[in-house]
Amino acid sequence: MSVISNLLNGLVIFGIVKEQQHTPLYYLIGNLAVIDIITNIVVHVMFELRDSVTYRQFMLLIVTMLHFPVILSLTGLVLLSVDRYISVQHAIFYHYTVRGGHVLVAVAGAWVSAGLLCFSPMMGWNCKAMGTSDQLCFLGAVESSYILFMTVLCMTGVCVVVFTNVRVFTVLRRRLTVVGVQEQHQGRVHIHRQKIAAAQKKARSVLLIIVVFLIAWLPFLSWQLTVLVSIHNSWDGLVGINQLFRCVFIIVIGLVPIVNPFVYAFRLPALRRVVWDSLRNGGIFLWRRLVPPQQVHPTSIEMSILTT
């Protein structure tokens, strides 16, 4: 799964670099692809370190390393959703005001904020440094207040993504309805048919984004809430937490980086065309190198002419 994810996201970055697009949307898609690649690298490094650190240090590492790619991915999706919302709801403002530099500043701020928040347990926000009782500790390392803060932060991000995409979908459907009524009243049913089809396709893609996002992120929020409830119930549901964690780990860390390129990047026709043309040309070049065409000697051509 990691290899497939890194290949897909590597193709996304390659397509963006080759197409030389400097628009906010392409910057945000490239940022999400980089986050997905880093997610796979961080997870593998984390599990390689489990035999070289103590149990408490490894538990602290799991919590911070798990939240870091999760918060990064969620902030990347929030920025993408806000960008889409402004481009649809305030198209004139977006076209004349929003530039790639604004997006780069927002992305840099998201990375710095995610790093400070997620690695704060290593800087003192943990049970050992604050003398917290074991009952209010998660895995004997992280305070319950940290889990509560991260849960509220993730819920806020999920609400922002869902709200902005639902608003975009509603606006697109409303515009399609208005255009359809105007064409029927004016007797121009076939005018702007191509634009209407493009808007309908965009509305369906936004609906798909909402569904995929909820399927991927609701289990993670459920796991966070289960941990909070178990902390205050003396860890009665520890077995359920472990089972739910495996499910969440597979979905958020394994499947989401594979799905993101198809949902957010390859739905763009220009990027999809660049990647496909590059893969096709690379395949043709590789085939010609492995199976070079046979060269016909001129004497054999003359002999064939004479015999005919």
Side-chain angles (χ1 to χ4, degrees):
M1 292 172 67
S2 298
V3 170
I4 295 173
S5 171
N6 288 336
L7 286 176
L8 291 174
N9 288 284
L11 288 175
V12 172
I13 297 173
F14 169 78
I16 293 174
V17 172
K18 186 173 182 179
E19 199 175 358
Q20 295 183 353
Q21 289 286 344
H22 302 285
T23 60
L25 178 61
Y26 278 85
Y27 281 151
L28 292 174
I29 291 176
N31 173 59
L32 190 62
V34 172
I35 291 172
D36 290 336
I37 293 175
I38 290 178
T39 299
N40 288 287
I41 296 175
V42 165
V43 170
H44 285 289
V45 171
M46 180 182 67
F47 282 106
E48 288 296 328
L49 293 175
R50 62 181 176 180
D51 295 330
S52 58
V53 296
T54 63
Y55 174 79
R56 185 181 294 271
Q57 291 175 340
F58 182 67
M59 291 299 105
L60 196 62
L61 194 64
I62 280 184
V63 175
T64 53
M65 287 298 190
L66 177 64
H67 277 107
F68 183 61
V70 168
I71 296 297
L72 272 181
S73 181
L74 188 57
T75 53
L77 296 176
V78 167
L79 292 175
L80 265 173
S81 301
V82 172
D83 177 82
R84 186 183 301 110
Y85 173 79
I86 298 176
S87 65
V88 173
Q89 192 76 13
H90 308 282
I92 298 177
F93 170 80
Y94 180 85
H95 180 73
Y96 289 103
T97 305
V98 180
R99 294 290 182 267
H102 300 106
V103 173
L104 291 178
V105 171
V107 169
W111 277 74
V112 173
S113 301
L116 291 175
L117 287 173
C118 296
F119 292 101
S120 57
M122 294 185 177
M123 295 180 271
W125 197 359
N126 54 64
C127 298
K128 183 178 180 180
M130 302 182 70
T132 308
S133 62
D134 294 338
Q135 185 178 355
L136 296 178
C137 281
F138 175 60
L139 299 176
V142 182
E143 261 206 338
S144 61
S145 58
Y146 174 81
I147 303 296
L148 177 62
F149 179 81
M150 285 300 179
T151 303
V152 173
L153 185 65
C154 291
M155 290 182 66
T156 304
V158 169
C159 290
V160 170
V161 173
V162 173
F163 171 78
T164 52
N165 283 284
V166 168
R167 286 289 298 168
V168 169
F169 179 77
T170 305
V171 170
L172 291 175
R173 296 299 299 176
R174 187 187 304 122
R175 291 178 182 177
L176 286 171
T177 303
V178 171
V179 172
V181 171
Q182 290 177 352
E183 288 190 348
Q184 289 180 0
H185 287 171
Q186 298 175 7
R188 300 180 301 173
V189 180
H190 298 289
I191 297 179
H192 304 309
R193 182 60 59 187
Q194 186 175 2
K195 293 183 179 179
I196 294 176
Q200 290 175 341
K201 185 177 180 180
K202 188 174 183 179
R204 288 194 297 267
S205 66
V206 172
L207 183 61
L208 176 65
I209 288 172
I210 297 172
V211 174
V212 172
F213 179 80
L214 290 176
I215 292 175
W217 287 94
L218 284 181
F220 179 79
L221 289 180
S222 175
W223 176 72
Q224 294 275 78
L225 293 173
T226 304
V227 169
L228 285 175
V229 172
S230 299
I231 289 175
H232 294 281
N233 288 338
S234 301
W235 299 99
D236 293 334
L238 186 59
V239 177
I241 290 176
N242 292 334
Q243 294 176 351
L244 187 58
F245 174 76
R246 294 187 182 95
C247 177
V248 170
F249 187 85
I250 293 174
I251 294 176
V252 177
I253 305 298
L255 294 180
V256 168
I258 296 176
V259 175
N260 281 341
F262 294 102
V263 176
Y264 296 98
F266 293 143
R267 68 180 182 86
L268 301 177
L271 183 59
R272 188 169 61 243
R273 183 173 59 254
V274 169
V275 173
W276 172 250
D277 291 343
S278 300
L279 288 175
R280 184 182 59 187
N281 295 334
I284 293 173
F285 174 78
L286 183 61
W287 175 258
R288 288 177 178 176
R289 296 290 294 179
L290 295 176
V291 186
Q294 296 181 357
Q295 297 181 355
V296 182
H297 199 272
T299 57
S300 62
I301 299 177
E302 294 178 358
M303 292 296 295
S304 62
I305 295 175
L306 291 176
T307 54
T308 55

